[in-house]
Amino acid sequence: DERPGGAGIYFISHVGGHKFSANVMVYRRGGTDALEDGRREGGMGEGSQCIWLARVRPEDCEGIVRFTVLQGKVVKPERQLRGGFDRERGLVSW
């Protein structure tokens, strides 16, 4: 997506070499939370948040886009969260 504030989607099989490795990696720029009408605000800042998810199924994708990509929230942390960081909250590892 080449629009300002757009998202890039790239294929990966997994990261690492075991069954619990991440198969979805979300890197978010600072200040890119979604507005109420669905538009996104924020600029082209450095990556401020990284969220690595595993065991993602097709039925999980809508929630991942709506909540993780657009808002930086993890929908199913107990099952899917594998790691990441959040510079704004000072988290080095989830």
Side-chain angles (χ1 to χ4, degrees), residues 70-84:
L70 295 178
Q71 299 177 37
K73 299 175 182 176
V74 180
V75 180
K76 300 176 182 176
E78 67 286 342
R79 184 170 72 86
Q80 295 179 330
L81 186 62
R82 291 296 177 262

Side-chain angles (χ1 to χ4, degrees), residues 5-82:
I9 300 173
Y10 308 94
F11 174 79
I12 59 169
S13 61
H14 70 281
V15 177
H18 55 82
K19 66 182 180 179
F20 299 110
S21 297
N23 63 352
V24 171
M25 299 185 303
V26 177
Y27 290 93
R28 301 181 74 243
R29 295 183 186 113
T32 58
D33 288 342
L35 300 172
E36 286 185 23
D37 64 2
R39 292 180 300 122
R40 290 170 35 155
E41 67 179 353
M44 301 292 285
E46 289 185 0
S48 66
Q49 188 180 48
C50 164
I51 303 169
W52 285 23
L53 304 173
R55 296 186 176 184
V56 174
R57 300 178 180 145
E59 59 268 21
D60 298 324
C61 293
E62 182 179 348
I64 289 171
V65 170
R66 180 174 287 153
F67 297 105
T68 308
V69 172
L70 295 178
Q71 299 177 37
K73 299 175 182 176
V74 180
V75 180
K76 300 176 182 176
E78 67 286 342
R79 184 170 72 86
Q80 295 179 330
L81 186 62
R82 291 296 177 262

